[in-house]
Structures are given as C-alpha cells and as structure tokens.
Amino acid sequence: MDNTFIIDNLLRQNESESLEFKVSMTKDSIAKTVTVMLNTHGGDILVGVNDNKDIVGLKSQINASRLLNDLTYDIQPAAPIDIQSIVYQEKNLLLIRVWEGTQKPYSYKGIIYQREGQGSASGMNQLIADRKTADANWERMPVLSASMDDLDLEEVRKTMELYRQSTSRISADEESFLTETGLIQNGNLTNACIVLYAKNPMRFVVQSGIKLSVFSSESVSDLVDSQNYEGNVFKNVNAVFQYLDNLYYKVINIEGLFRTESWNYPKVAVREGIMNAIIHRDYNSYQGFLQINIHPNHLDVVNYGVMEPLRSVIGSKYLSYSFSLLRNPDIAYQCYYRQLIEMRGTGIPRMFSECKSHGYPVPSFSINGEVVKLTFFQLQLQSLSVKKDDFGFLLDKSFESLNEKVKQRMIAILSTIDKYPGLRTTTISANTGIPIKSVERHLSELSRVGMIRYQGSKKTGGYYLVNQNDDL
C-alpha cells in the first residue's frame, strides 16, 4: 500500500514531543525514544530527514521487521509499535509510529525513560497517575458476571496468530494473551474484552451493536432494508462488509485477454471510516450508538461520542493529520493486530487519499452535539443496465409461456431488485405486496433462468439482477 501521503502530512508539521525528524539513529536510540513516547502521548519518528525537513535518506537499508522484533522483545510491557520502510522521493526512509501506552510505565532493557528525566520522582508519579487513569477507563472496568466461557476463543486465536507475527511474542494460551494485552485485569474480563471477543456482547454491553439502514431517498421514512449486527467487533465488521460488498458489488471489465475487477465504492476508505467510529464511539454511554445509513448517492457513518480534539479541528484543512488520540486504546490495539486499522493517526488521511485516488470526493465530518457524522459522497447503488420496459421482453425470452399475472409479478420483483439491490425475500414481499410464498417461488424461477442471483450468507445476503453483459 502506498503510504507516501503519510510522509507528506508529517512534513507539513514542525518537530514536537510527538514528532521527531532524524538523519540517522541507532537501534538503541530508537528504542529509548520509543519508550519515552509510550510513557507520554505517543508520536512519530521519521528517520532520513534533517531538521530542515530535507529528505536525505538512509545510507543503508534497515530491516524494519527485525527492528520491530528487537523493540517488542526489549520494551516492556507489550505495546503496539509500527515500523515501515517507505520510499519517498526515491530515497529510503524509516517511519516509526507509537501509540500512547496504556500500561505505563514502560521500560527498555529494564530502564524507564521519560522526558522529565530518567527516573525522576515527579516523572514516576505522573506515570503512576497515568496508569491509574487508564485502569479506571471504561475499557478496563471488570465485567464480573463474565467468564472465559462467554468468549469466542476462535476469534481470540486469530488475533494471537497475527500478534505473534507482528511482535514475536508467544502467549501460552488465550487467557495469558488477554492478560498480557490488558483485556483481563485482576483475573476479570474487561468491557473491552467483551466488546471485542464475546459470543454475545450485547448481553453485557447493550450499546455495542451496529445498525445498518438502506433508504430509497434522503428521507429516513423511505426505509427499504435494515440490519442489526449484535456480534463482537470482528464478527460485526465481517458482516457489515459482506453486506456492503453485496450492495455495491464489483465492476468487471474485459479488454482483450485481460479481466479486471474493481469495487463500486471506495472500500478501503469506508473501512477506515467505520473502524474509526468503532474505536472512538462512547461505549460508556447508553446513547453510544453506531449507525450506518445508506442513501442512493451517499453513505453516512454516524456514532455517539465526539473526541474534543476532533470538534476543535472540524473544517480545518489540517484535519487530515491532526487527529490521532484514542478513546478506546485497548479496542484499537486489538483491531491493529487484526490488521483492520493501520498506523497511529493514519485513518483520516487514508480515507481522504483513497477517495481521491479512486475518483470520489473527499468525505466530510459534521458534529451535532455529541454525535459525529462522516459522509462518503457519490456512492451510487448499482442496478441492471436495462430499461424497466425491457423486463417483459427478457421474461418472454427466458420462459416459454407465462400468464399475465405471473409476468406482472415477476416484473414487479425485477423492478424492485433493480432499484434496491441486495434485498431479501421478506423485504421484496413488503415492497411489492406479493405474498412471501409467491415471491419465493418467482425468485427460484428467475434464478433458474439466470436473471437474478443470490449473493452473501443466508443471514445477510440478498438478491441482485444479473447484468446481461456479466461473465457468468
């Protein structure tokens, strides 16, 4: 993935406690600086750039994976650190991004490093206070009625495997891993652990679900489909994107011997927007909803819980790289290990970059009270590229004989799927007024002759028209 836009954004800023430019660094100096950032508010280190922001490049290539393994072994406790080698202006740079640690104090080879002075009393007191604050956060609160039996351990194991690849740490079992990463505190599962991994998280955190709605116009009264996702974070994300993929689906282009496929929506950008809402929503409030609203020409991601820094920079041209604080760092770290989010502070600029590169307008944020809305523009719902008047002609070609009543019902079904791709049987019935049993029978016949197809899982999938130019 092209991450040069991240370098562009960093070079617009000046050096600070959270951003350092270095011509070169030793592994030891990098480790000490990273430890300091973990013990403060996180930050970025860009190696290969001088104090004047001139791109000088690295004299020799640094093995980013080996450096990351060394840092995660020598820095305790475990913390998410991202290291990437990036070619920028034909020169090799090293970018190190560090989130603020939630398990302070952090040490490198047994020594705690701080900006206030190594081992100073005031600095240590502040680290201890920060740790107490983190432990008192909603994420770290114990769910006393929950146990390991309430967790989807297969999802935990998936994260463990990716965690090993990125850190070289090996936990003995699922409980050890959850303890090491702060999701078990004093022997109790935390709220964050439940939201991330519970089989039925809404039993414990009722506001953890996601609602998705599809509208036929700008009016919320014109609802044509609705989905409620009540699983853990990973199950919900998979289900949401299965639905979106089915709704917008792919464009297939064939030129000569070459076949290319592309999504009819900026999938990476939308993923960043939804993940941004997941890790920043206010789960502590019973109003802490997350809603995805799909209209004919745009998609809105709406969630309760505005981070104050975001409120202060809305409308600023610097929004794309100003906002990197985390409301729910434990949830964010696990999503990072699962490769659902990228480096610290890159979500918003990546959204902007991905939309621009695929020809979509830059998305916009708006705030109303404690509700933040992210809008992606020009996301067109797809339909069959034939006129509705042609449905009768296509039916006559596909069936030897149809009585007029059945023909008109099939035209109504095809027209409804054309207008609202991805609908399920019950919703088609509600929109057409045709009884469900009759709809099921007609859908079966239309599928048999290749005019429609069912995409997705039994629970979240739906029906789509088959473009007559599709390669079936």
Side-chain angles (χ1 to χ4, degrees), residues 68 155-169 177 197 234 333-340:
L68 178 60
E155 289 293 343
V156 178
R157 287 190 286 270
K158 289 178 183 177
T159 308
M160 290 173 65
E161 179 60 32
L162 292 168
Y163 178 72
R164 292 187 187 107
Q165 294 176 18
S166 63
T167 67
S168 296
R169 293 177 183 271
F177 167 75
Y197 293 115
F234 304 114
Y333 296 169
Q334 298 290 311
C335 291
Y336 170 77
Y337 294 135
R338 286 293 286 269
Q339 301 175 1
L340 291 174

Side-chain angles (χ1 to χ4, degrees), residues 112-139:
I112 297 170
Y113 292 91
Q114 315 158 60
R115 292 197 186 281
E116 293 80 1
Q118 182 178 325
S120 68
S122 61
M124 284 300 300
N125 288 338
Q126 183 60 52
L127 291 178
I128 293 170
D130 289 346
R131 176 62 178 266
K132 289 181 178 179
T133 299
D135 287 346
N137 186 32
W138 175 86
E139 283 193 301

Side-chain angles (χ1 to χ4, degrees), residues 140-422:
R140 294 285 176 93
M141 291 292 98
V143 182
L144 300 179
S145 58
S147 69
M148 292 292 292
D149 290 338
D150 293 305
L151 301 185
D152 183 343
L153 296 182
E154 178 59 31
E155 289 293 343
V156 178
R157 287 190 286 270
K158 289 178 183 177
T159 308
M160 290 173 65
E161 179 60 32
L162 292 168
Y163 178 72
R164 292 187 187 107
Q165 294 176 18
S166 63
T167 67
S168 296
R169 293 177 183 271
I170 300 177
S171 301
D173 51 39
E174 296 88 352
E175 188 169 355
S176 298
F177 167 75
L178 296 174
T179 301
E180 181 179 335
T181 54
L183 297 182
I184 291 180
Q185 295 283 321
N186 299 317
N188 297 309
L189 305 186
T190 64
N191 281 323
C193 186
I194 292 297
V195 169
L196 287 160
Y197 293 115
K199 299 172 186 174
N200 181 16
M202 293 186 71
R203 174 186 166 196
F204 306 96
V205 183
V206 295
Q207 65 276 23
S208 63
I210 299 175
K211 184 174 182 180
L212 184 150
S213 301
V214 183
F215 303 94
S216 61
S217 71
E218 292 303 305
S219 172
V220 295
S221 63
D222 293 330
L223 178 69
V224 295
D225 196 18
S226 180
Q227 302 280 333
N228 289 304
Y229 301 102
E230 300 180 351
N232 58 52
V233 165
F234 304 114
K235 296 295 188 187
N236 284 349
V237 170
N238 285 337
V240 165
F241 276 94
Q242 184 177 63
Y243 186 93
L244 293 178
D245 288 350
N246 288 338
L247 189 66
Y248 291 106
Y249 59 91
K250 287 183 178 180
V251 174
I252 299 174
N253 296 309
I254 300 177
E255 295 184 10
L257 298 176
F258 298 96
R259 173 188 176 114
T260 59
E261 297 182 357
S262 60
W263 290 107
N264 274 310
Y265 73 114
K267 184 171 182 175
V268 172
V270 173
R271 183 200 71 181
E272 294 288 348
I274 292 174
M275 293 308 304
N276 188 71
I278 286 173
I279 64 178
H280 287 299
R281 67 189 290 192
D282 186 0
Y283 293 92
N284 193 36
S285 170
Y286 283 102
Q287 302 178 68
F289 66 88
L290 198 169
Q291 171 87 39
I292 301 169
N293 295 327
I294 301 170
H295 296 270
N297 195 40
H298 64 91
L299 181 152
D300 297 329
V301 182
V302 188
N303 69 283
Y304 183 90
V306 180
M307 295 286 283
E308 289 307 312
L310 178 61
R311 191 192 301 276
S312 67
V313 298
I314 283 288
S316 167
K317 65 180 180 179
Y318 300 111
L319 172 62
S320 61
Y321 58 83
S322 304
F323 185 59
S324 60
L325 297 179
L326 296 173
R327 183 193 300 276
N328 302 298
D330 288 342
I331 293 174
Y333 296 169
Q334 298 290 311
C335 291
Y336 170 77
Y337 294 135
R338 286 293 286 269
Q339 301 175 1
L340 291 174
I341 61 175
E342 303 286 339
M343 296 180 287
R344 167 192 177 272
T346 64
I348 293 175
R350 192 175 302 281
M351 275 190 278
F352 290 5
S353 176
E354 286 291 325
C355 284
K356 286 180 180 178
S357 66
H358 289 86
Y360 292 93
V362 170
S364 72
F365 284 92
S366 60
I367 292 176
N368 182 10
E370 293 301 314
V371 177
V372 58
K373 179 171 75 172
L374 170 64
T375 300
F376 293 90
F377 301 100
Q378 295 184 14
L379 273 61
Q380 300 284 348
L381 295 180
Q382 303 302 306
S383 62
L384 184 65
S385 58
V386 299
K387 298 177 181 178
K388 290 180 176 57
D389 293 344
D390 291 337
F391 286 137
F393 172 74
L394 292 174
L395 288 169
D396 289 338
K397 283 178 57 180
S398 301
F399 296 92
E400 290 185 4
S401 63
L402 285 175
N403 68 48
E404 191 60 27
K405 181 179 179 181
V406 171
K407 183 176 179 180
Q408 291 305 315
R409 281 185 169 184
M410 285 187 171
I411 289 174
I413 290 171
L414 291 170
S415 298
T416 300
I417 298 173
D418 179 31
K419 189 173 183 180
Y420 309 121

